[in-house]
């Protein structure tokens, strides 16, 4: 069998079929599928979607993506829904289902207990013993909503002054595609925002925002996440976002932090016990972050327990097995 991954390779199965390949071929889309009306704006959208029907099984991150696929098939391709996630168009039948990708929970828990992560945790707890940490870890990408997140933090400081000298946002933005103008623009915007907040609210012994524009070693990430009272995962749009799941796994179950998650991340369908936000709503996001900072311990424990259970049940091994079982069962 063949398992093809992500949008770059959508046409591959059609090319292989044309060369005579008859074995089962599956495809997994790691990014969101656009709604029908946006998909139809692509000049060669019909060729692109027709190419998907050369696969036996198509996997999406979220049920919303399956709904977008179904609407396109019915309204643009004059196709039909056959039930059980099976669709027919252009003379071919394909199964299209949601298979939300997970993480290797055991591996990440082991990282959390390793020396590098423990050292990082102890360092952060010692250095910020009088502060509440908020953490964002992202690629420097315009889809991640980092400037909107920083503006929401500024709103938090403006409307809830008790967080001044108390809350610190650590924002790690790993370099990516810096030769593209759009990425240079967002870096300059972010540096300007962080500098303005630190200038307006900072004290000699407290900087509101710690902005880091470089990679942080993966072995240290669990310790950093464990020390954060609030994990901010607020992309404008994301297929899944595994950082949200890693943040949950890294927490101390006796005193866990709170995950603030964008409703536009694929992970929002699974992680319903997180505090969901609209990242375009700056004031609303600030209100939710304040709710996270004030959340009682009992509620934090209850939310964390349910989140962790679901992440463990639907881990990366579950994802792999579920997809390949579906592909093996394809007619």
């Amino acid at each position: 069998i063949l398992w093809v991954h992500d949008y770059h390779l959508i046409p591959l199965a059609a090319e292989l079929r044309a060369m005579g390949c008859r074995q089962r071929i599956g495809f997994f889309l790691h990014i969101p599928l656009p709604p029908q009306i946006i998909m139809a704006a692509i000049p060669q959208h019909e060729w692109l979607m027709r190419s998907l029907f050369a696969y036996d099984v198509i996997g999406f991150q979220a049920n919303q993506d399956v709904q977008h696929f179904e609407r396109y098939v019915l309204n643009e391709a004059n196709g039909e829904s056959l039930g059980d996630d099976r669709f027919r168009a252009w003379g071919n039948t394909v199964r299209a289902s949601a298979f939300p990708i997970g993480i290797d929970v055991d591996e990440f828990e082991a990282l959390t207990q390793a020396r590098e992560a423990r050292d990082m945790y102890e360092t952060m707890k010692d250095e910020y013993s009088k502060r509440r940490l908020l953490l964002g870890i992202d690629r420097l990408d315009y889809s991640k909503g980092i400037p909107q997140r920083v503006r929401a933090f500024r709103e938090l400081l403006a409307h809830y002054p008790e967080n001044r000298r108390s809350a610190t946002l650590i924002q790690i933005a790993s370099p990516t595609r810096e030769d593209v103008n759009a990425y240079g623009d967002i870096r300059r915007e972010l540096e300007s925002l962080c500098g303005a907040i630190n200038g307006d609210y900072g004290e000699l012994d407290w900087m509101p925002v710690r902005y880091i524009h470089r990679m942080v070693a993966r072995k240290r990430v669990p310790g950093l996440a464990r020390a954060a009272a609030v994990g901010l995962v607020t992309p404008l749009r994301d297929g899944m976002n595994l950082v949200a799941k890693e943040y949950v796994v890294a927490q101390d179950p006796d005193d866990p932090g709170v995950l603030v998650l964008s409703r536009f991340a694929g992970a929002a369908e699974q992680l319903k016990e997180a505090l969901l936000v609209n990242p375009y709503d700056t004031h609303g996001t600030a209100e939710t972050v304040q709710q996270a900072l004030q959340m009682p311990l009992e509620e934090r424990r209850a939310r964390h327990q349910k989140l962790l259970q679901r992440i463990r049940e639907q881990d990366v091994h579950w994802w792999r097995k579920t997809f390949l079982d579906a592909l093996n069962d394809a007619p």
Side-chain angles (χ1 to χ4, degrees):
I1 62 171
L2 299 175
W3 191 2
V4 181
H5 287 264
D6 223 1
Y7 67 94
H8 316 72
L9 297 174
I10 286 176
L12 181 57
E15 298 295 326
L16 292 174
R17 299 297 189 204
M19 296 171 66
C21 290
R22 293 292 173 260
Q23 62 262 56
R24 291 183 175 90
I25 309 178
F27 176 78
F28 189 81
L29 185 66
H30 289 263
I31 65 170
L33 186 76
Q36 169 205 339
I37 195 67
I38 296 177
M39 193 72 194
I42 298 175
Q44 298 190 44
H45 64 91
E46 182 177 324
W47 164 78
L48 203 58
M49 294 298 284
R50 185 193 293 263
S51 297
L52 285 173
F53 275 80
Y55 293 96
D56 296 291
V57 175
I58 304 169
F60 296 110
Q61 295 277 28
N63 288 308
Q64 186 180 72
D65 299 314
V66 180
Q67 294 168 8
H68 292 166
F69 181 80
E70 180 177 17
R71 291 192 185 108
Y72 182 96
V73 170
L74 299 180
N75 299 321
E76 297 289 339
N78 295 318
E80 57 182 326
S81 173
L82 305 177
D84 297 324
D85 288 344
R86 293 171 66 245
F87 302 92
R88 185 164 182 81
W90 295 297
N92 291 321
T93 301
V94 67
R95 175 181 171 182
S97 302
F99 302 91
I101 194 170
I103 64 171
D104 189 330
V105 176
D106 292 338
E107 182 261 352
F108 201 78
E109 283 185 334
L111 272 182
T112 303
Q113 299 303 321
R115 180 179 58 82
E116 292 89 343
R118 292 202 313 271
D119 289 349
M120 173 59 76
Y121 173 76
E122 294 298 334
T123 298
M124 300 305 292
K125 294 299 285 186
D126 181 58
E127 184 172 346
Y128 294 95
S129 58
K130 299 179 181 179
R131 316 288 185 213
R132 307 287 304 283
L133 291 184
L134 295 80
L135 177 65
I137 302 177
D138 308 86
R139 287 184 297 105
L140 185 59
D141 187 297
Y142 46 75
S143 70
K144 300 301 182 181
I146 307 175
Q148 289 83 354
R149 182 184 308 159
V150 174
R151 291 190 185 96
F153 181 66
R154 179 175 191 138
E155 190 89 354
L156 178 78
L157 297 179
H159 290 275
Y160 297 97
E162 65 268 26
N163 291 306
R164 300 174 195 174
R165 303 180 67 90
S166 170
T168 297
L169 170 62
I170 296 179
Q171 177 60 59
I172 298 169
S174 304
T176 178
R177 305 179 184 125
E178 296 206 313
D179 55 331
V180 179
N181 289 337
Y183 292 86
D185 292 343
I186 194 172
R187 177 180 179 180
R188 286 187 289 273
E189 179 186 10
L190 194 53
E191 289 172 348
S192 176
L193 279 170
C194 293
I197 293 174
N198 285 338
D200 290 343
Y201 291 100
E203 303 286 349
L204 291 175
D205 61 346
W206 172 66
M207 281 295 150
V209 182
R210 293 294 178 94
Y211 168 64
I212 300 170
H213 180 61
R214 62 177 181 273
M215 295 287 293
V216 172
R218 177 169 170 76
K219 292 180 179 180
R220 295 178 176 271
V221 168
L224 192 56
R226 195 178 183 91
V230 179
L232 296 173
V233 183
T234 56
L236 305 179
R237 194 72 173 96
D238 224 338
M240 176 54 64
N241 198 301
L242 297 179
V243 172
K245 298 184 177 184
E246 291 178 343
Y247 175 79
V248 172
V249 173
Q251 295 309 298
D252 177 358
D254 293 327
D255 186 19
V258 180
L259 175 63
V260 175
L261 178 63
S262 167
R263 56 173 297 190
F264 303 124
E269 280 193 4
Q270 289 177 293
L271 308 184
K272 299 183 185 301
E273 289 77 21
L275 297 184
L276 301 183
V277 297
N278 172 5
Y280 296 93
D281 180 0
T282 302
H283 183 73
T285 301
E287 294 275 343
T288 303
V289 172
Q290 176 68 1
Q291 180 187 346
L293 288 168
Q294 299 296 318
M295 187 177 292
L297 176 60
E298 185 176 349
E299 182 180 353
R300 286 191 279 121
R301 285 176 175 170
R303 287 176 180 267
H304 176 262
Q305 184 178 14
K306 291 179 180 178
L307 288 170
L308 183 60
Q309 179 181 351
R310 198 169 303 114
I311 291 169
R312 185 177 294 283
E313 289 172 352
Q314 299 180 341
D315 67 359
V316 70
H317 306 293
W318 169 90
W319 170 75
R320 170 190 52 79
K321 183 179 186 303
T322 305
F323 185 94
L324 292 178
D325 285 350
L327 187 55
N328 279 317
D329 292 341

